């Protein structure tokens, strides 16, 4: 169990809109912090971090000449302070600002930079020979699409495809709240998000533009954050500390196997045998006390060997080799949790009806969701007494909830709406998986495209089912099991991809990376900037 989060761990859990960031900033200024002093502090923190990156990551292709794009507002002001500091550190810096007017503080920094002899160029083409571009054109003040000459400038920078571009706060052209491109946008190699994570960083739409992103802390007081966002905001980032704090360890010394949860997986068909196996391997990694797997009778022998610890139960099957009905001797209500769906085929709605009628916490995935879609998901789920966790990807989600406006709903709003409609926990899977309840949405900010692969969802279902079975014994809310499983699964994918490349993470391999001890040993590198926080205020 992780301890109470310190300030740095806490700010990693928050995400803000532009308006919220402005409100926080206003409180800081109203309390007496001079605007110029804050800009100086922020930009010095950016510079320090930038220099550490140049010294560690750009050793074989050293950076000497740095081009800085300067916007009219305070994003441009930040960039000018960074430019000045880089000059002091011995870098040659070129400034380019396609604006005739700047906010007063930005204009002052510009004048001072010029007085120091920093070169100011008149056309974007003059930055073509730079080793690195710093994008300080627009931050959260972007208020309309980038058009005309400005759009040309952005396109020119993007055409230098092998030149690193570091964006300050957010890539210019990306809307802070929606993550959408307004007109056109800088395609950053890295983005230094300032103070608090902006909402765009949790939006899949923005990912192609953000590059790798890092939070540059500038000591925003927690009281100001709480004053604007509340103590427990309804939208949060799933941090490692948060997920770890919900892990079911250490186990009670006097526990026994039934107290550690009994999971029933209902999965597989003659056609999709592997789905049942992958779910079983996912469940094994969860540490669940007892594992039973119901499959069509004919594939039972295929599971007994690789999963010797599991009780494999054969069910009557259809001509196609799908489960026809749940075996008579299975009492669904005797399990601590049920995970149903992988590889079932979409043939037989009665199976899912039986499962939904049980009174146990339930994970529905894959064909379980496709079958649910044939019923009336909202009414059916609203009527369930026990917890339900749905794990759809986008396509399954659309099928389940055709009444939602999928054009305008993003994952965050869509998953929240679905959770409100059904009372279920909705895990909407994607590059930024959302875990929604009727009250809140938690978003997983760390994942890997390596998980976009057949079978990876089956592994998650088993892992989640196992955690849910353990935790339902401890009366833990189901959404916390969902958070643990999503984090665990994505961390396994990240570590597997770093060992084997993103192409090397087939679903079976993924199951071999679920070893929690090994994953936790990788943990320090997932704290921002590799820093162990020094403070506890
Ligand atoms: N909020 C904070 O706590 C801090 C913010 N800082 C910086 O300040 C930034 C926000 O500064 P600003 O509010 O000045 O906003 P920006 O610097 O993002 O830009 C706003 C300016 O751009 C113009 N503009 C917006 N969209 C345009 C478009 N499409 N075409 C042409 N002009 C356009 C606006 O008229 C305005 O003059 C942040 O992103 C960050 O970089 C830091 O300096 C200090 C701390
Ligand atoms: K920017």
């Amino acid at each position: 169990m992780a301890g109470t989060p310190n300030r740095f761990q806490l700010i990693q859990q928050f995400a803000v809109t532009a308006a919220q960031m402005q409100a926080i900033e206003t409180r800081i200024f109203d309390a007496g912090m001079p605007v110029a002093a804050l800009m100086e502090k922020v930009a010095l923190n950016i510079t320090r971090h930038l220099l550490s990156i140049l010294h560690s990551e750009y050793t074989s292709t050293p950076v000497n000449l740095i081009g800085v794009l300067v916007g009219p507002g305070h994003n441009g002001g930040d960039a000018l302070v960074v430019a000045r500091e880089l000059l002091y550190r011995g870098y040659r810096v070129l400034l380019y600002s396609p604006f005739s007017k700047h906010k007063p503080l930005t204009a002052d920094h510009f004048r001072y930079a010029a007085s120091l002899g920093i070169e100011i160029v008149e056309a974007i083409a003059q930055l073509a020979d730079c080793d690195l571009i710093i994008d300080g054109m627009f931050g959260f003040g972007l208020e309309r699409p980038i058009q005309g000459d400005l759009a040309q400038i952005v396109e020119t920078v993007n055409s230098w495809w092998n030149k690193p571009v570091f964006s300050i706060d957010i890539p210019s052209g990306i809307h802070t709240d929606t993550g959408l491109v307004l007109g056109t946008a800088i395609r950053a190699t890295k983005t230094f998000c300032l103070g608090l994570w902006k909402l765009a960083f949790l939006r899949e739409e923005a990912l192609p533009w953000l590059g790798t992103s890092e939070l540059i802390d500038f000591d925003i007081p927690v009281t100001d954050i709480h004053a604007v966002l509340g103590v427990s905001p309804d939208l949060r980032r799933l941090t490692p500390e948060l997920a770890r704090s919900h892990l079911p360890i250490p186990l009670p010394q006097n526990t026994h196997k039934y107290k550690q949860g009994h999971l029933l997986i209902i999965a597989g068909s003659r056609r999709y045998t592997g789905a049942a196996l992958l779910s079983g391997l996912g469940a094994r990694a969860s540490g669940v006390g007892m594992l039973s797997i119901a499959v069509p009778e004919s594939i039972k022998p295929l599971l007994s060997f690789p999963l010797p610890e599991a009780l494999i139960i054969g069910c009557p099957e259809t001509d196609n080799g799908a489960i026809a009905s749940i075996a008579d001797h299975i009492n669904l209500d005797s399990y601590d949790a049920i995970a149903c769906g992988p590889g079932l085929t979409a043939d037989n709605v009665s199976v899912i009806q039986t499962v939904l009628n049980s009174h146990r916490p339930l994970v529905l995935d894959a064909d379980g969701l496709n079958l649910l879609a044939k019923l009336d998901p909202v009414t059916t789920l609203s009527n369930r007494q026990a917890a339900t966790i749905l794990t759809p990807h986008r396509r399954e989600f659309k099928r389940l909830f055709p009444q939602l406006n999928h054009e305008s709903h993003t994952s965050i709003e869509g998953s929240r709406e679905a959770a409100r409609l059904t009372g279920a926990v909705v895990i909407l899977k994607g590059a930024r998986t959302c875990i929604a309840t009727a009250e809140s949405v938690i978003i997983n900010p760390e994942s890997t495209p390596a998980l976009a692969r057949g079978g990876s969802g089956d592994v998650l279902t088993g892992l989640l089912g196992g955690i849910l079975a353990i935790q339902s014994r401890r009366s833990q809310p189901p959404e916390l099991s969902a958070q643990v499983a999503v984090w665990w699964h994505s961390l396994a994918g990240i570590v597997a991809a770093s060992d084997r490349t993103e192409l090397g993470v087939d679903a079976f391999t993924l199951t071999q990376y679920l070893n929690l001890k090994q994953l936790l040993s990788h943990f320090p590198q997932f704290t921002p900037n590799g820093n162990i926080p020094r403070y506890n205020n």
Side-chain angles (χ1 to χ4, degrees):
M1 174 90 78
T4 310
N6 60 36
R7 185 187 156 282
F8 197 83
Q9 291 165 344
L10 200 72
I11 62 172
Q12 289 286 346
Q13 291 179 15
F14 295 108
V16 288
T17 62
Q20 288 167 332
M21 192 66 189
Q22 270 155 349
I24 289 170
E25 186 188 47
T26 301
R27 286 178 59 90
I28 295 173
F29 296 145
D30 287 351
M33 175 60 129
V35 179
L38 190 64
M39 182 181 286
E40 189 75 10
K41 173 170 176 130
V42 171
L44 291 183
N45 286 2
I46 299 171
T47 311
R48 197 175 309 122
H49 189 60
L50 175 63
L51 289 171
S52 78
I53 289 171
L54 296 184
H55 293 159
S56 60
E57 292 179 33
Y58 288 82
T59 46
S60 57
T61 49
V63 167
N64 297 305
L65 181 59
I66 300 178
V68 181
L69 286 175
V70 181
H74 286 177
N75 198 252
D78 288 348
L80 285 163
V81 177
V82 172
R84 184 196 71 205
E85 292 298 304
L86 290 172
L87 177 82
Y88 293 152
R89 300 294 171 282
Y91 291 91
R92 194 176 149 217
V93 180
L94 302 181
L95 294 180
Y96 176 57
S97 185
F99 302 92
S100 52
K101 272 193 161 169
H102 300 90
K103 282 188 175 177
L105 185 55
T106 307
D108 285 346
H109 280 302
F110 213 138
R111 209 156 44 85
Y112 189 57
S115 82
L116 295 173
I118 299 187
E119 294 167 66
I120 298 164
V121 302
E122 297 300 325
I124 187 69
Q126 290 170 271
L127 301 186
D129 293 330
C130 290
D131 305 312
L132 168 73
I133 302 291
I134 293 175
D135 157 34
M137 203 137 69
F138 302 114
F140 63 61
L142 181 76
E143 55 200 16
R144 54 188 184 276
I146 298 181
Q147 286 168 333
D149 292 348
L150 289 179
Q152 282 299 318
I153 291 164
V154 170
E155 297 301 335
T156 302
V157 172
N158 288 347
S159 73
W160 298 328
W161 59 271
N162 60 351
K163 204 187 291 298
V165 179
F166 293 177
S167 284
I168 295 178
D169 210 13
I170 193 154
S172 299
I174 297 296
H175 191 273
T176 305
D177 300 350
T178 64
L180 296 175
V181 174
L182 284 192
T184 183
I186 292 282
R187 207 175 270 274
T189 315
K190 283 184 191 292
T191 303
F192 303 128
C193 181
L194 306 179
L196 287 167
W197 288 107
K198 313 300 178 312
L199 215 46
F201 289 80
L202 298 177
R203 306 269 196 197
E204 294 194 0
E205 295 81 351
L207 291 185
W209 281 267
L210 296 173
T212 52
S213 45
E214 301 180 48
L215 187 68
I216 304 291
D217 184 25
F218 60 87
D219 303 308
I220 298 175
V222 172
T223 45
D224 291 320
I225 300 170
H226 286 327
V228 172
L229 300 183
V231 173
S232 185
D234 62 6
L235 186 142
R236 272 182 299 158
R237 297 172 77 250
L238 177 58
T239 63
E241 287 78 16
L242 195 60
R244 283 207 315 176
S245 71
H246 306 320
L247 279 172
I249 46 177
L251 303 183
Q253 289 297 322
N254 61 349
T255 194
H256 58 71
K257 62 186 175 187
Y258 292 108
K259 278 194 184 167
Q260 286 312 116
H262 191 168
L263 170 67
L264 173 67
I265 294 177
I266 304 170
S269 56
R270 214 181 300 142
R271 186 159 176 216
Y272 302 115
T273 312
L277 178 56
L278 290 168
S279 293
L281 291 170
R284 165 191 278 175
S286 72
V288 69
M290 292 286 292
L291 174 60
S292 294
I293 308 180
V295 293
E297 183 68 42
S298 63
I299 69 167
K300 193 177 156 185
L302 299 173
L303 284 136
S304 305
F305 179 69
L307 289 162
E309 76 277 27
L311 186 70
I312 314 294
I313 308 168
C315 293
E317 62 186 79
T318 65
D319 292 346
N320 294 334
I323 295 178
S325 61
I326 306 291
D328 284 344
H329 59 282
I330 296 181
N331 173 7
L332 292 177
D333 288 333
S334 68
Y335 297 91
D336 293 300
I338 302 169
C340 176
L344 281 184
T345 78
D347 288 352
N348 197 346
V349 179
S350 71
V351 170
I352 208 76
Q353 266 163 334
T354 310
V355 172
L356 284 161
N357 286 338
S358 76
H359 297 91
R360 308 311 302 159
L362 172 64
V363 179
L364 280 183
D365 180 38
D367 284 328
L369 298 171
N370 296 332
L371 291 165
L372 174 66
K374 295 182 182 179
L375 306 168
D376 171 358
V378 173
T379 313
T380 310
L381 293 173
S382 306
N383 288 338
R384 275 206 98 224
Q385 299 302 312
T388 314
I389 304 181
L390 309 177
T391 61
H393 53 59
R394 263 268 159 211
R395 195 141 29 99
E396 289 162 343
F397 184 72
K398 281 188 186 171
R399 221 175 283 146
L400 276 175
F401 300 106
Q403 66 272 54
L404 298 184
N405 183 345
H406 294 279
E407 296 309 313
S408 68
H409 274 78
T410 66
S411 299
I412 296 174
E413 288 79 14
S415 59
R416 179 188 282 145
E417 194 55 30
R420 280 186 185 149
L421 285 172
T422 57
V425 177
V426 177
I427 300 179
L428 181 48
K429 296 185 290 194
R432 291 288 175 270
T433 293
C434 296
I435 304 161
T437 64
E439 289 80 36
S440 66
V441 185
I442 302 258
I443 302 144
N444 183 24
E446 302 277 357
S447 195
T448 166
L451 291 174
R453 204 157 165 181
S456 133
D458 304 336
V459 177
L460 175 67
T461 302
L463 180 68
L464 169 59
I467 297 165
L468 187 66
I470 301 171
Q471 297 292 31
S472 71
R473 282 251 149 200
R474 302 174 180 199
S475 306
Q476 196 195 51
E479 62 271 22
L480 303 189
S481 296
Q483 291 172 26
V484 171
V486 166
W487 164 77
W488 190 336
H489 182 255
S490 67
L491 185 55
I494 291 168
V495 173
S498 80
D499 277 2
R500 301 171 55 99
T501 82
E502 290 171 352
L503 301 180
V505 192
D506 59 275
F508 176 76
T509 298
L510 179 66
T511 66
Q512 307 304 295
Y513 276 85
L514 290 172
N515 179 328
L516 190 59
K517 174 76 194 278
Q518 270 173 10
L519 294 179
L520 291 175
S521 74
H522 286 265
F523 189 75
Q525 83 189 53
F526 293 101
T527 56
N529 312 342
N531 287 338
I532 303 299
R534 292 171 302 267
Y535 31 63
N536 247 317
N537 53 330

Coordinates of all heavy atoms in Angstrom, one line a residue, residues 447-451 490-505 509-510 513 518-519 522 525-526:
S447 N 0.4 4.5 -21.6 CA 0.1 3.2 -22.2 C 1.1 3.1 -23.4 O 2.0 3.8 -23.5 CB -1.3 3.2 -22.7 OG -1.7 1.8 -23.0
T448 N 0.8 2.1 -24.2 CA 1.7 1.8 -25.3 C 0.9 1.3 -26.5 O 0.0 0.4 -26.3 CB 2.8 0.9 -25.0 OG1 3.4 0.4 -26.2 CG2 2.3 -0.4 -24.2
P449 N 1.2 1.7 -27.7 CA 0.5 1.1 -28.9 C 0.7 -0.4 -29.0 O 0.0 -1.1 -29.7 CB 1.1 1.8 -30.1 CG 1.9 3.0 -29.6 CD 2.2 2.7 -28.1
A450 N 1.7 -0.9 -28.3 CA 2.0 -2.3 -28.3 C 0.8 -3.1 -27.9 O 0.6 -4.3 -28.2 CB 3.2 -2.7 -27.4
L451 N -0.1 -2.5 -27.1 CA -1.3 -3.2 -26.6 C -2.4 -3.3 -27.6 O -3.5 -3.9 -27.4 CB -1.8 -2.6 -25.3 CG -0.8 -2.8 -24.1 CD1 -1.3 -2.0 -22.9 CD2 -0.7 -4.2 -23.7
S490 N -1.4 -2.0 -18.5 CA -0.7 -1.1 -19.4 C 0.8 -1.0 -19.0 O 1.7 -0.9 -19.9 CB -1.3 0.3 -19.4 OG -1.1 0.9 -18.2
L491 N 1.1 -1.1 -17.7 CA 2.5 -1.1 -17.3 C 3.2 -2.4 -17.9 O 4.4 -2.3 -18.3 CB 2.6 -1.0 -15.8 CG 4.0 -0.9 -15.2 CD1 4.7 0.3 -15.7 CD2 3.9 -0.8 -13.6
A492 N 2.5 -3.5 -17.8 CA 3.1 -4.7 -18.4 C 3.4 -4.5 -19.9 O 4.5 -4.9 -20.4 CB 2.2 -5.9 -18.2
G493 N 2.5 -3.8 -20.6 CA 2.7 -3.6 -22.0 C 3.9 -2.7 -22.2 O 4.7 -2.9 -23.1
I494 N 4.0 -1.6 -21.4 CA 5.1 -0.7 -21.5 C 6.4 -1.4 -21.3 O 7.4 -1.2 -22.1 CB 4.9 0.5 -20.5 CG1 3.7 1.4 -21.0 CG2 6.2 1.4 -20.5 CD1 3.3 2.4 -19.9
V495 N 6.5 -2.1 -20.2 CA 7.8 -2.8 -19.9 C 8.1 -3.8 -21.0 O 9.3 -4.0 -21.5 CB 7.7 -3.4 -18.5 CG1 9.0 -4.3 -18.2 CG2 7.6 -2.4 -17.4
A496 N 7.1 -4.6 -21.4 CA 7.3 -5.6 -22.5 C 7.8 -4.9 -23.8 O 8.7 -5.4 -24.4 CB 6.0 -6.4 -22.8
A497 N 7.2 -3.8 -24.1 CA 7.6 -3.1 -25.3 C 9.0 -2.5 -25.2 O 9.7 -2.5 -26.2 CB 6.6 -2.0 -25.6
S498 N 9.4 -2.1 -24.0 CA 10.7 -1.6 -23.9 C 11.8 -2.7 -24.0 O 12.9 -2.5 -24.4 CB 10.9 -0.7 -22.6 OG 11.1 -1.6 -21.5
D499 N 11.4 -3.9 -23.6 CA 12.3 -5.1 -23.8 C 12.3 -5.6 -25.2 O 13.3 -6.1 -25.7 CB 11.8 -6.2 -22.9 CG 12.3 -6.1 -21.4 OD1 12.9 -5.1 -21.1 OD2 12.0 -7.0 -20.6
R500 N 11.2 -5.6 -25.9 CA 11.0 -6.3 -27.1 C 10.6 -5.5 -28.3 O 10.3 -6.1 -29.3 CB 9.9 -7.4 -26.8 CG 10.3 -8.4 -25.7 CD 9.1 -9.3 -25.4 NE 8.6 -10.0 -26.6 CZ 8.9 -11.2 -26.9 NH1 9.7 -11.9 -26.1 NH2 8.5 -11.8 -28.0
T501 N 10.5 -4.2 -28.2 CA 9.9 -3.3 -29.1 C 8.4 -3.4 -29.1 O 7.9 -4.4 -28.6 CB 10.4 -3.4 -30.6 OG1 9.7 -4.5 -31.3 CG2 11.9 -3.6 -30.7
E502 N 7.8 -2.4 -29.7 CA 6.3 -2.4 -29.7 C 5.7 -3.5 -30.5 O 4.5 -3.8 -30.4 CB 5.8 -1.0 -30.2 CG 6.1 0.1 -29.2 CD 5.8 1.5 -29.8 OE1 5.5 1.6 -31.0 OE2 5.8 2.4 -29.0
L503 N 6.5 -4.1 -31.4 CA 6.0 -5.2 -32.3 C 6.1 -6.5 -31.6 O 5.6 -7.5 -32.0 CB 6.8 -5.2 -33.6 CG 6.8 -3.9 -34.4 CD1 7.6 -4.1 -35.7 CD2 5.3 -3.6 -34.8
G504 N 6.8 -6.5 -30.5 CA 7.1 -7.8 -29.8 C 6.2 -8.2 -28.7 O 6.5 -9.1 -27.9
V505 N 5.1 -7.6 -28.6 CA 4.2 -7.8 -27.4 C 2.9 -8.5 -27.8 O 1.8 -7.9 -27.8 CB 3.9 -6.5 -26.7 CG1 3.3 -6.8 -25.3 CG2 5.2 -5.7 -26.5
T509 N 2.8 -13.2 -24.7 CA 4.0 -12.6 -24.2 C 3.6 -11.6 -23.1 O 4.2 -11.5 -22.0 CB 4.8 -11.9 -25.3 OG1 5.3 -12.8 -26.2 CG2 6.0 -11.1 -24.7
L510 N 2.5 -10.8 -23.3 CA 2.1 -9.9 -22.3 C 1.8 -10.6 -21.0 O 2.1 -10.0 -19.9 CB 0.8 -9.2 -22.9 CG 0.1 -8.2 -22.0 CD1 1.0 -7.0 -21.8 CD2 -1.2 -7.7 -22.6
Y513 N 4.6 -10.8 -18.7 CA 5.1 -9.6 -18.1 C 4.2 -9.0 -17.0 O 4.3 -7.9 -16.6 CB 5.2 -8.5 -19.2 CG 6.5 -8.6 -20.0 CD1 6.7 -9.5 -21.0 CD2 7.6 -7.8 -19.6 CE1 7.9 -9.6 -21.7 CE2 8.8 -7.9 -20.2 CZ 8.9 -8.8 -21.3 OH 10.1 -8.9 -22.0
Q518 N 8.3 -7.7 -10.7 CA 9.1 -7.1 -11.8 C 8.6 -5.7 -12.2 O 9.4 -4.8 -12.5 CB 9.1 -8.1 -13.0 CG 10.2 -9.1 -12.9 CD 10.1 -10.1 -14.0 OE1 9.3 -9.9 -15.0 NE2 10.8 -11.2 -13.9
L519 N 7.3 -5.6 -12.3 CA 6.8 -4.3 -12.8 C 7.1 -3.2 -11.8 O 7.4 -2.1 -12.2 CB 5.3 -4.4 -13.0 CG 4.8 -5.4 -14.2 CD1 3.3 -5.4 -14.3 CD2 5.4 -4.9 -15.5
H522 N 10.4 -1.6 -12.0 CA 10.6 -0.6 -13.1 C 10.0 0.7 -12.6 O 10.1 1.7 -13.4 CB 9.9 -1.0 -14.3 CG 10.5 -2.1 -15.1 ND1 11.4 -1.9 -16.1 CD2 10.5 -3.5 -14.9 CE1 11.9 -3.0 -16.5 NE2 11.3 -4.0 -15.8
Q525 N 11.2 4.7 -12.7 CA 11.4 5.4 -14.0 C 10.1 6.1 -14.5 O 10.0 6.9 -15.4 CB 12.0 4.6 -15.1 CG 11.0 3.7 -15.8 CD 11.7 2.7 -16.7 OE1 12.6 2.0 -16.3 NE2 11.3 2.7 -18.0
F526 N 9.0 5.7 -13.8 CA 7.7 6.2 -14.2 C 7.3 7.5 -13.3 O 6.3 8.0 -13.5 CB 6.6 5.2 -14.1 CG 6.8 4.2 -15.2 CD1 7.4 2.9 -14.8 CD2 6.5 4.4 -16.5 CE1 7.6 2.0 -15.8 CE2 6.7 3.5 -17.5 CZ 7.3 2.3 -17.1

